[in-house]
Amino acid sequence: MTARTDSLGQDDSPAARYAAARARTETRRTRLADFGRTLPFLLDTFQTTACAALEAGRGVLLAAPTGAGKTVVGEFAVHLALATGRKAFYTAPIKALSNQKFGDLVRRHGPEAVGLLTGDTSINPTAPVVVMTTEVLRNMLYADSPALAGLGYVVMDEVHYLADRFRGPVWEEVIIHLPADVLLVSLSATVSNAEEFGDWLQLVRGDTTVVVTERRPVPLWQHVLVSSAAGVGARASRGGADLLDLYAGDVDPTTPGVNPPINPDLLVAFRSAPRSGRGDRGYRGPGGRRPGRPASPMAGPPASRRTPSRVAVVAALDTDGLLPAIYFVFSRAGCEAAVTRCMLAGLRLTRDDEEEEIRRVIADRSVAIPAEDLKVLGFWGWQESLAHGIAAHHAGMLPVFKETVEELFGRGLIKVVFATETLSLGINMPARSVVLEKLVKWDGTAHNDVTPGEYTQLTGRAGRRGIDIEGHAVVVDHAGLDPVHLAGLASRRTYPLRSSFRPTYNMAVNLVAQVGRDRARQVLETSFAQFQADRAVVGLARQVRGHAEAMTGYAGSMACDRGDFAQYMAIRRRISAREADLSRAGASARRAHAAQTFERLRRGDVVEVPSGRRAGYVVVIDVGRERPGSAGPGGWVAAAGTSGSSEPRPTVLTQDKQVRRLALADAPTGLRAVTRMRIPKAFNPRVPAHRRDLAAGMRAALAAALPEPAGGGRAPNRTRSAAADDAELARLRADLRAHPCHGCPDRETHARWAERWAQSKKEHDALVKRVDGRTGSIARVFDRICEILVTLGYLERADAVLRVTADGQWLRRLYAENDLLIAECVRRGVWDRLDPAGLAAALSAVVYSGRREGPDEPHIPGGPGGPLAAALDATVRAWSDLTDLEAAQHIETVGPLDLGLVAAVHRWGRGASLDAVLRDSDLAAGDFVRWCKQILDVLDQLAGAAPRPELRRTAARAIEALQRGVVAYSSI
């Protein structure tokens, strides 16, 4: 069932009022009514619909805009679990969101009723309500954990995260493997294919109600912030910034429709804005627009306008009462620079009492940070900026710093946060305004335009429900900004959910162990990825049927009463193919002959260029070949347009005294040597008199060598075609003439229909191949993974049945992204001789992936002959062996190992200070802590799963070595 509630209001008709009154009477005794009485607000229609479906025993998919109140439905699932004596698991994609939801539920239900599991944190794990990351629940399902007993509800917050390339597949694993009696509550941002996702949930989970609303509870206004220097505002004299509406005054911003008209004042500001002195150095296509973006008559001049400074933007928002704001910069360095600039400008956005409260929160939050680390972490500058109401938020920050910013912003004490895109994911940091500095962001490989879906996600944080009557999305004017393009972003609601599911090695051994190979293939074929592929197959299959029908019609039209016309056309096609083969062979032979004539050239040769624009006689002054050991005149010259290959490019003098370079393309049939002449050693092609004398000498040499006048080129010799002497071609032509259809008066009409049939058949076969490639594609990848596991001994065949070996049993407990590589290193004993710090450092090479390229030869503690270097070399060999196997099975290979974190982790594991660890690197403290947490997660898996007790003990000691200082700190 799908319920689409695009309006948050109520129908005021008499019938609707009667139905609502009757529904209220009937629900007074329901658990939903009990839950509603605990809330400080009335439930919206979409919330009531979703909660009622859940109480009726149906699963729910709720897709709603950010800030609409989706989590209320998740909280009702928790309420139902506690009221009925069952368990509820609340899952989230990231630890920060798990921590936040844990705090919310503890405040509502008390600390005894709520637990937390996030990989590195375990609080009250046997509680009836447990908040956890999705990976933790996946691991529990594969381990058949006793904690699953009595589970009644699972809430998957931010379920659209299953589109994430790296971690998204975990969501589908959980959805597929949850026990059938568990009700699933899926909470998603507004996606354009929610019904498709709901259809899949209906298939794999049973009765599921899909509730979709695209109506924001707080209306969102769209603005562009332009420099006041354009003369459009009261702040022009101060060089500030002015906030202008994006749409014309008669446009409803909540439903702008398609191609809404642009605010005339904004267009005036764009056209009258002064040009920046530096101009726009970015690439522009014709007309000054970005490639791929259509020209707009309202896009303004191609040169850049003056972009308001970040300080001016914040000041303008403060003046207009639009703080607190999230200011998306899309760059860590940009976020930090923006905070620094605001502080240098003396910007202060807090009152004295707010500053006092901020400093108190900071003191409470940072009490666990060692005093010696405060300076290296930039604590004092960070504290001062927060005291002024200004903060940055990005993945490179220390977790406690980010969490402090989140708390202060949530309490309204921080007024502006300069953030990267990571802040748009789930964390409850509502703002009155959201600012986008640009509409282009770096995705790790290239700068790409922000999509309509991304724009909706980012700006969705504007407007605090219950606080603001409206939210504001602000785009800062910048070079290349086109208001028509911006209106298209803001008015479209396209955010399709695409599965990123793929089988993994760990998944394969777990499935084979639990259900066997055949059943595992069936399970994987129920994934959302295969569901979407199969839906695409439906459209392809429709095209296949269309081609088949067309082919039937063409076959009828080409039928000939004198014989089998298809057979006749087959002979014609074989003749064409043979002629093409002979032509290619002849062209290749001619090119080889031509190349030989170029190879034989010597300085002073007078040769004939038989045809083309260079036709005529020339004298060779430089042969264009490199003799071994020679790099002077006469050396090889790389042919223009060749890809790494070289061909001789002789320099010649023509009869009209021009110096030219010859290529094979200038003489495709080759050069004909006529005579030779002496070229003076002092000849200089740059001297006109030298060229004139040499041309005269060439004419004299030609006159002596040729009986006819030498005024120009001769016609090239005619060569007999290879087709004329080919026996196979002669036989095919004889068969064609002898065929009964050859004499049909309608032969060419039949032939035209036959050509159409042949083209349709070619397209038909290609479509069938695409259908075959998509059907069962996930299961085929699983089969290839199983073949690799059999080759390596983690699975074995016994009586045509796959079984998990002893090695495979401990692989089942390795959940890292590079699970098989870690398993291979463990099995080979690669890390057995390492101490705890060395083991952590070696694991960093498997786990870590730098944001930028590091040094070609990073420092390895112990030197090239030490145990760590030997272990890393063996790890690289294991990676190489594995990529070879994967390539042979057409499996996406594991990325290259990154040794950039080895030295830092080793120093930290040996007890070095944070300053000593980070001093000689460009690694941010937050990044270092985040990667250490991931290494700790793998160490924890090794400590429990490694087959040898020595390695388990080393892993446990490595955990103790790493788990200290800022790495050990947790706010929960």
Side-chain angles (χ1 to χ4, degrees), residues 11 195 525 606 723 878 912:
D11 187 347
E195 286 82 1
E525 286 178 342
V606 179

Side-chain angles (χ1 to χ4, degrees), residues 612-785:
R613 62 193 182 97
R614 301 277 191 243
Y617 293 96
V618 298
V619 59
V620 178
I621 58 178
D622 189 301
V623 297
R625 290 194 309 276
E626 183 177 7
R627 297 180 295 274
S630 170
W636 272 107
V637 179
T642 61
S643 180
S645 62
S646 297
E647 65 180 31
R649 292 288 303 274
T651 302
V652 299
L653 182 73
T654 65
Q655 289 178 285
D656 57 358
K657 303 180 288 295
Q658 298 295 315
V659 177
R660 295 284 185 262
R661 298 281 294 280
L662 288 183
L664 285 175
D666 296 321
T669 60
L671 303 170
R672 187 177 72 88
V674 177
T675 185
R676 283 183 54 76
M677 63 180 291
R678 180 181 173 276
I679 299 179
K681 288 185 178 181
F683 174 77
N684 186 340
R686 293 186 177 88
V687 178
H690 288 193
R691 295 199 303 270
R692 183 178 63 248
D693 292 345
L694 189 62
M698 177 172 55
R699 286 194 293 273
L702 286 170
L706 297 175
E708 68 274 9
R714 297 188 307 183
N717 293 331
R718 299 288 181 181
T719 58
R720 184 175 173 83
S721 169
D725 300 321
D726 185 70
E728 174 66 14
L729 186 58
R731 184 187 64 79
L732 288 171
R733 287 171 173 169
D735 290 346
L736 186 74
R737 290 190 295 271
H739 197 282
C741 292
H742 191 66
C744 177
D746 298 322
R747 181 185 67 197
E748 293 310 309
T749 300
H750 295 325
R752 284 193 292 272
W753 287 110
E755 290 297 337
R756 294 183 186 179
W757 180 91
Q759 180 62 31
S760 187
K761 177 69 164 58
K762 182 179 178 181
E763 295 171 358
H764 175 83
D765 291 345
L767 285 170
V768 169
K769 186 176 181 180
R770 288 175 63 190
V771 169
D772 291 342
R774 294 195 179 195
T775 304
S777 55
I778 302 297
R780 281 199 298 277
V781 174
F782 171 74
D783 289 340
R784 294 168 188 160
I785 284 176

Side-chain angles (χ1 to χ4, degrees), residues 227-352:
S227 172
S228 294
V232 182
R235 287 188 289 271
S237 61
R238 302 187 321 195
D242 282 303
L243 195 71
L244 300 178
D245 290 341
L246 172 62
Y247 303 132
D250 58 347
V251 176
D252 181 354
T254 62
T255 55
V258 180
N259 299 322
I262 307 300
N263 176 12
D265 289 341
L266 178 61
L267 299 179
V268 170
F270 268 42
R271 289 166 180 158
S272 62
R275 300 187 179 197
S276 167
R278 289 175 299 174
D280 181 12
R281 298 179 182 271
Y283 174 75
R284 290 291 182 271
R289 62 183 184 275
R290 290 193 178 277
R293 185 174 296 174
S296 167
M298 293 176 282
S304 65
R305 295 174 294 273
R306 185 172 299 148
T307 299
S309 71
R310 291 161 178 164
V311 175
V313 172
V314 175
L317 295 175
D318 188 26
T319 300
D320 289 340
L322 298 183
L323 298 180
I326 299 173
Y327 197 132
F328 285 110
V329 178
F330 300 138
S331 160
R332 296 181 180 188
C335 292
E336 297 292 347
V339 172
T340 300
R341 193 66 189 168
C342 289
M343 293 297 290
L344 290 175
L347 204 60
R348 188 175 188 272
L349 304 174
T350 52
R351 303 186 307 267
D352 290 343

Side-chain angles (χ1 to χ4, degrees), residues 13 57 77 204 222 302 365 481 538 571 584 636 695 705 725 813 869 946:
S13 67
V204 297
Q222 306 286 338
R365 283 274 189 172
L481 177 63
V538 171
I571 299 173
R584 283 192 294 270
W636 272 107
D725 300 321
R813 300 167 65 186

Side-chain angles (χ1 to χ4, degrees), residues 524-555:
L524 293 174
E525 286 178 342
T526 65
S527 66
F528 187 43
Q530 189 61 59
F531 182 81
Q532 289 189 309
D534 289 343
R535 285 222 165 174
V537 165
V538 171
L540 292 175
R542 189 178 301 115
Q543 294 182 52
V544 168
R545 288 195 298 272
H547 278 84
E549 293 171 1
M551 287 165 60
T552 300
Y554 297 154

Side-chain angles (χ1 to χ4, degrees), residues 842-885:
L843 277 176
S844 77
V846 179
V847 172
Y848 176 65
S849 177
R851 298 179 67 241
R852 58 181 63 88
E853 290 187 10
D856 293 336
E857 295 186 7
H859 170 67
I860 304 300
L868 180 54
L872 290 171
D873 287 343
T875 302
V876 171
R877 285 195 298 272
W879 167 80
S880 180
D881 293 343
L882 181 55
T883 54
D884 288 344
L885 277 174

